[in-house]
């Protein structure tokens, strides 16, 4: 190959260093700016986000029964609680719970519990909505996957799940509920 | 600096001794690849083609994450990409305009080879792989254009797949096989999606063979003569820097189109959903296929027309033998140099004709153009090679600029 060695360069930063570093810097920023839209395109699209509210009425839910509504593609439990169920939820000594929350802050109207239907362990849907379902020792929900048990406030009481069933953001307008 | 090896250096060497990944790259496009020192910017286009291939594969994968290959949903899924998917417009415009720029780059790359005689011995196999890449690219681009399932997608697919029906005896069987039915419909869209996803990776594999074949003789050069070892410089940093600069200039044009004229090269009719019962007023392929489309339409016999179109590509495989001159670079071939420019002009004329209705002047011109293409290949190339008196070749690539310099062998 041709003699490519060049005369001894002056010590310290040279013009060549400057050009190299600025080129690499611009190239790196440019590449990052290209990766960002590509990754971003994998996040929920506008039409997916527009599906992110759900509206339903609690008028038809008899006392003591439960329904499931779908919000963002996942189930939400809606329970019309009996006085006994409310009482059971409120009697519990909060300091004994794994995820310490009072029933009062988990509901807007005591007779309607609205919680996410996704087990906080690994995402299965706990049983307990249908009358024939097992409800666990605490009268709430029982997860068939690894046996987590939730009480009548949707709080974790037994089994591997770390957290209570989450309360989604919702608003009552008369009997109508808007989730999301 | 201490001569002691750092821990990192030792880990690196341990790994290199077992799988010399970095060494491989260094030999392919690094300090261990000696390249002629007189390469001009036309030698940038192989690298640019590689850049476009990577760009197409990347944007394509993200498009495929949101695309649906079904006749009822394809068009809407593309509109959703344009309107709802985050940056979907950018990814799609980069892919669609990327196809055009890929062809611009590859066509310049090929005409570079024609001008400087890069297809001649000992680079025939390298050239063949290039021709195969170009043909596979055309197939890939055609199938990609069918995917959005607009009017031009549908009718383009109908016309092109029907080209095969003119083949005697088996023609109809071939079209039925391509369609998976009795017309262009869902089965075709499905398989085109699968193939359009696959072929770029086939091209990627071919590019590796292409680079491998390039490294056996090494790069040709603008003078087309053998290069002494003393006249070579390492690819890195010299040509990596030059390629990087070329890439910057190229991206100004590419992204200029993507951001300011994203639909300039596309046909507005393709924003109308496919309708199997209504043919649009004129069916034209994308610009990069127009010269070949003009050839097909210039000949009144369907079979010969199709044969001419495929033949115009097949003939390129035989170029190393059709061209009887042993002088590579057109710089030293006074007659061939003129023929080269006439051939290039001829491609543009054919391209223009391909976009017009085949009647009157465009029809006459496309007949002359098609005739000239084959006349150039089969008659002029061999004859000119025999009768032409080339200009004297320099003794080395240094000689024209540094007459006193004697490069080491
Ligand atoms: C996907 C498309 C292609 C890619 C990525 C690609 C890549 C490359 C690269 C990186 C080089 C070395 C740099 C250079 O000389 O420019 C090269 C050289 C070459 N390519 Fe391609 N190429 C492609 C298509 C083609 C086609 C379609 C042909 C011809 C029909 C072709 C013919 C050649 C020849 C003859 C050389 C050697 C040129 C010389 O040394 O003078 N290539 N290619
Ligand atoms: S997912 Fe419910 S207990 Fe494991």
């Amino acid at each position: 190959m041709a003699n490519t060695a060049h005369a001894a360069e002056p010590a310290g930063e040279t013009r060549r260093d400057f050009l190299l570093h600025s080129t690499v810097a611009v190239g790196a920023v440019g590449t990052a700016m290209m990766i960002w839209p590509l990754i971003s395109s994998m996040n929920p699209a506008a039409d997916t986000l527009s599906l992110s509210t759900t509206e339903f009425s609690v008028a038809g839910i008899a006392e003591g029964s439960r329904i499931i509504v779908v919000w963002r593609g996942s189930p939400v439990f809606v329970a019309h609680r009996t006085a006994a169920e409310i009482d059971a939820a409120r009697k519990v000594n909060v300091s004994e719970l794994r995820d310490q929350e009072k029933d009062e802050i988990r509901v807007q109207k005591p007779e309607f519990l609205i919680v996410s239907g996704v087990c906080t362990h690994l995402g299965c849907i706990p049983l307990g909505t249908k009358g024939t379902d097992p409800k666990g020792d605490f009268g709430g929900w029982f997860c068939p996957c690894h046996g987590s048990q939730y009480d009548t406030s949707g709080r974790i009481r037994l089994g591997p799940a770390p957290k209570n069933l989450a309360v989604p953001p919702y608003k009552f307008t008369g009997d109508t509920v808007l989730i999301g | 600096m201490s001569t002691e090896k750092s821990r990192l250096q030792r880990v690196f060497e341990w790994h290199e001794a077992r799988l010399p990944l970095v060494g491989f790259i260094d030999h392919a496009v690094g300090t261990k690849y000696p390249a002629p020192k007189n390469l001009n910017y036309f030698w940038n286009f192989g690298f640019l083609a590689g850049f476009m291939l990577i760009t197409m594969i990347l944007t394509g994968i993200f498009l495929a994450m949101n695309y649906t290959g079904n006749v009822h949903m394809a068009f809407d899924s593309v509109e959703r990409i344009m309107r709802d998917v985050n940056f979907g417009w950018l990814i799609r415009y980069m892919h669609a305009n990327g196809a055009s720029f890929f062809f611009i780059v590859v066509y310049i790359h090929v005409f570079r080879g024609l001008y400087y005689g890069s297809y001649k011995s000992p680079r025939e196999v390298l050239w063949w792989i290039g021709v195969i890449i170009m043909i596979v690219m055309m197939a890939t681009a055609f199938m990609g254009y069918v995917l959005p399932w607009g009017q031009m997608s549908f009718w383009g697919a109908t016309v092109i797949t029907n080209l095969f029906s003119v083949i005697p005896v088996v023609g109809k069987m071939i079209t039925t096989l391509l369609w998976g039915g009795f017309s262009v419909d869902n089965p075709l869209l499905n398989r085109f999606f699968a193939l359009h996803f696959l072929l770029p990776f086939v091209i990627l594999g071919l590019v590796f063979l292409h680079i491998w074949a390039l490294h056996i003789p090494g790069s040709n050069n603008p003078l087309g003569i053998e290069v002494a070892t003393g006249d070579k410089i390492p690819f890195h940093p010299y040509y990596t820097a030059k390629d990087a600069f070329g890439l910057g200039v190229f991206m100004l044009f590419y992204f200029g189109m993507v951001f300011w004229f994203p639909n300039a090269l596309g046909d507005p009719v393709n924003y109308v959903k496919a309708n199997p019962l209504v043919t649009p007023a004129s069916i034209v392929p994308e610009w990069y296929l127009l010269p070949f489309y003009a050839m097909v339409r210039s000949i009144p016999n369907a079979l010969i027309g199709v044969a001419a179109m495929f033949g115009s590509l097949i003939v390129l495989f035989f170029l190393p033998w059709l061209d009887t001159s042993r002088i590579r670079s057109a710089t030293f071939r006074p007659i061939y140099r003129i023929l080269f420019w006439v051939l290039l002009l001829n491609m543009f004329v054919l391209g223009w004709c391909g976009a017009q209705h085949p009647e009157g002047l465009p029809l006459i011109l496309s007949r002359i153009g098609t005739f000239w293409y084959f006349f150039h290949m089969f008659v002029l190339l061999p004859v000119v090679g025999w009768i032409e008196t080339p200009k004297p070749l320099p003794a080395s690539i240094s000689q024209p600029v540094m007459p006193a310099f004697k490069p080491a062998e």
Side-chain angles (χ1 to χ4, degrees):
Chain A
M1 276 189 234
N3 181 12
T4 56
H6 18 73
E9 288 185 14
E13 287 278 307
T14 60
R15 197 172 112 96
R16 175 169 297 188
D17 287 332
F18 172 76
L19 286 173
L20 176 66
H21 294 152
S22 49
T23 305
V24 170
V26 170
V29 171
T31 309
M33 272 169 65
M34 198 53 241
I35 290 174
W36 176 45
L38 292 181
I39 305 286
S40 168
S41 77
M42 295 176 74
N43 264 324
D47 62 328
T48 311
L49 292 175
S50 73
L51 296 176
S52 58
T53 59
T54 292
E55 209 173 35
F56 65 97
S57 167
V58 294
I61 311 173
E63 189 174 324
S65 65
R66 301 168 178 177
I67 64 164
I68 291 182
V69 297
V70 179
W71 176 55
R72 287 193 198 164
S74 297
V76 169
F77 295 150
V78 182
H80 189 166
R81 301 192 291 188
T82 60
E85 283 175 330
I86 299 172
D87 204 37
R90 304 214 157 169
K91 249 185 12 224
V92 177
N93 182 356
V94 172
S95 62
E96 287 167 11
L97 295 176
R98 181 177 304 167
D99 181 7
Q100 301 179 354
E101 271 180 332
K102 284 177 121 113
D103 182 61
E104 286 83 344
I105 63 158
R106 291 177 53 80
V107 290
Q108 290 178 16
K109 295 186 177 178
E111 61 275 33
F112 291 108
L113 176 75
I114 301 177
V115 287
S116 152
V118 178
C119 178
T120 59
H121 181 222
L122 295 173
C124 292
I125 304 172
L127 297 170
T129 303
K130 276 188 275 178
T132 51
D133 280 350
K135 295 186 167 55
D137 299 345
F138 304 87
W141 287 267
F142 171 79
C143 184
C145 289
H146 315 92
S148 288
Q149 301 195 15
Y150 298 91
D151 66 13
T152 55
S153 186
R155 291 175 298 203
I156 180 65
R157 299 300 288 271
L158 202 69
K163 294 258 179 220
N164 300 337
L165 294 176
V167 180
Y170 64 89
K171 201 168 78 224
F172 271 99
T173 312
D175 280 341
T176 307
V177 180
L178 180 73
I179 307 184
Chain B
M1 245 210 310
S2 93
T3 50
E4 187 87 341
K5 283 179 185 164
S6 71
R7 177 176 299 253
L8 199 67
Q9 182 73 17
R10 288 206 309 275
V11 170
F12 173 73
E13 281 172 10
W14 179 90
H15 193 270
E16 279 291 293
R18 284 150 185 82
L19 181 67
L21 265 182
V22 175
F24 177 75
I25 295 170
D26 198 34
H27 275 96
V29 289
T31 59
K32 303 271 163 39
Y33 177 47
K37 64 183 179 183
N38 63 339
L39 299 186
N40 60 29
Y41 271 106
F42 285 107
W43 268 259
N44 220 222
F45 286 86
F47 168 76
L48 293 178
F51 171 79
M52 279 322 298
L53 180 61
I54 301 300
T55 305
M56 295 305 278
I57 289 179
L58 263 183
T59 51
I61 286 172
F62 284 88
L63 285 177
M65 290 183 192
N66 288 294
Y67 172 79
T68 308
N70 176 289
V71 290
H72 299 296
M73 295 183 272
F75 186 86
D76 292 341
S77 75
V78 173
E79 285 310 303
R80 178 176 171 273
I81 290 171
M82 295 301 288
R83 294 156 195 241
D84 290 337
V85 173
N86 304 332
F87 294 102
W89 58 273
L90 176 61
I91 297 170
R92 173 156 183 258
Y93 281 154
M94 277 180 69
H95 198 77
N97 286 279
S100 281
F101 276 81
F102 199 175
F103 275 99
I104 292 175
V105 163
V106 165
Y107 285 164
I108 295 177
H109 187 72
V110 172
F111 272 85
R112 182 278 316 260
L114 290 179
Y115 188 85
Y116 295 112
S118 300
Y119 49 87
K120 294 183 190 183
S121 171
R123 296 184 182 80
E124 300 93 328
V125 175
L126 167 62
W127 175 257
W128 284 347
I129 298 172
V131 176
I132 297 173
I133 290 174
M134 188 168 78
I135 295 172
V136 179
M137 266 178 73
M138 289 174 172
T140 310
F142 159 64
M143 289 193 255
Y145 194 60
V146 174
L147 300 184
W149 211 244
Q151 272 291 66
M152 220 30 108
S153 303
F154 183 90
W155 292 100
T158 301
V159 169
I160 302 291
T161 50
N162 267 316
L163 286 181
F164 294 92
S165 72
V166 305
I167 300 172
V169 189
V170 291
K172 279 268 173 271
M173 277 154 66
I174 295 179
T175 44
T176 306
L177 187 81
L178 285 174
W179 292 337
F182 306 102
S183 65
V184 170
D185 208 334
N186 199 51
L188 175 125
L189 179 59
N190 250 249
R191 59 191 64 174
F192 272 23
F193 184 30
L195 292 173
H196 184 72
F197 205 124
L198 169 72
L199 290 183
F201 294 93
V202 172
I203 295 177
L204 191 65
L206 288 167
V207 169
F208 272 95
L209 294 183
H210 193 69
I211 310 272
W212 188 7
L214 169 70
H215 281 64
I216 306 298
S219 293
N220 185 27
N221 69 83
L223 297 181
I225 57 175
E226 297 307 319
V227 183
T229 314
D231 269 341
K232 290 185 177 176
I233 48 175
F235 190 84
H236 179 74
Y238 293 96
Y239 287 112
T240 41
K242 188 166 178 163
D243 281 349
F245 178 75
L247 176 65
V249 176
F250 170 74
M251 287 204 288
L252 286 179
F253 289 98
Y254 174 32
F255 285 102
M257 283 298 274
V258 167
F259 287 121
W260 283 283
F261 310 99
N263 288 307
L265 295 170
D267 194 317
V269 172
N270 219 31
Y271 279 109
V272 177
K273 196 169 176 167
N275 182 346
L277 303 180
V278 180
T279 305
S282 73
I283 307 280
V284 276
E286 295 277 87
W287 69 265
Y288 38 79
L289 300 177
L290 287 174
F292 306 97
Y293 192 56
M295 289 186 193
V296 134
R297 297 193 307 183
S298 70
I299 297 173
N301 176 302
L303 177 59
I304 299 177
V306 172
M309 188 189 74
F310 287 113
S312 66
L313 296 170
I314 304 296
V315 67
L316 296 175
F317 286 108
F318 301 99
L319 216 52
W321 299 276
L322 287 171
D323 185 344
T324 50
S325 169
R326 306 248 299 280
I327 309 296
R328 294 197 192 95
S329 176
T331 314
F332 304 107
R333 300 187 55 192
I335 305 180
Y336 175 75
R337 185 157 61 169
I338 297 168
L339 293 180
F340 169 87
W341 291 110
V342 173
L343 184 72
L344 184 61
L345 177 73
N346 190 46
M347 292 316 276
F348 279 101
V349 171
L350 280 173
W352 177 78
C353 293
Q356 315 301 317
H357 277 283
E359 55 194 12
L361 183 66
L363 183 60
I364 295 168
L365 281 179
S366 54
R367 288 190 174 154
I368 297 174
T370 306
F371 169 78
W372 184 264
Y373 184 88
F374 289 100
F375 185 62
H376 174 103
M377 296 292 170
F378 287 112
V379 179
L380 294 178
L381 276 186
V383 171
V384 168
W386 289 317
I387 63 172
E388 186 181 45
T389 313
K391 293 195 213 159
L393 297 176
S396 75
I397 62 173
S398 292
Q399 202 208 10
V401 275
M402 306 157 76
F405 179 73
K406 291 271 171 295
E409 269 313 305

